[in-house]
Amino acid sequence: MAAPPVVIWKREVQRLLRCGDLVPRLEDALGKFSRRDPAELIQPVRTTLPLQKHHGFLGSMPSYMEKDGVLCTKLVCFYNREEGSTLPAAQATVMLLDPEFGNVKAVSTN
């Protein structure tokens, strides 16, 4: 049985993530994306689902890095908020999954 997923809140990400540590990893990931080598990274074009009644849409952005053992997806909702609204225009959640079994290992949300 898989352990329950770890929830990582925005404040924890801000406390733990250092820009200097992130830049080389982003460069590596973007390089893999640019080479379009499916052995390194599979990242299809994002999918969007219109939410017309609610004046927004849901975007899904999955990616898989087999060699690195990374399977994740970002789900983001965008809304056209009225001026002065206190609600955010975007809400995002990132999920890290176990590529072998498919269970959710970690969730980060704003």
Side-chain angles (χ1 to χ4, degrees):
M1 176 117 204
V6 174
V7 177
I8 306 168
W9 298 103
K10 181 180 178 179
R11 66 184 174 276
E12 291 176 276
V13 172
Q14 291 171 331
R15 183 176 61 84
L16 296 171
L17 191 61
R18 300 287 175 251
C19 221
D21 297 333
L22 184 60
V23 170
R25 293 176 185 268
L26 287 172
E27 287 174 343
D28 182 52
L30 290 171
K32 290 176 181 179
F33 179 75
S34 296
R35 289 188 288 277
R36 303 269 193 238
D37 182 351
E40 290 193 84
L41 173 68
I42 300 171
Q43 185 174 342
V45 176
R46 68 183 65 175
T47 301
T48 58
L49 176 71
L51 305 169
Q52 293 175 349
K53 177 180 175 181
H54 304 289
H55 309 287
F57 66 90
L58 166 69
S60 173
M61 297 167 258
S63 63
Y64 176 49
M65 299 167 70
E66 184 173 347
K67 289 180 185 176
D68 298 316
V70 175
L71 175 62
C72 65
T73 191
K74 180 178 184 180
L75 300 173
V76 61
C77 287
F78 292 97
Y79 294 94
N80 184 13
R81 301 288 188 206
E82 293 187 23
E83 190 173 331
S85 174
T86 59
L87 296 172
Q91 294 283 334
T93 300
V94 177
M95 291 185 292
L96 179 66
L97 300 108
D98 184 309
E100 185 176 359
F101 302 107
N103 57 295
V104 177
K105 293 171 68 172
V107 176
S108 181
T109 189
N110 59 345

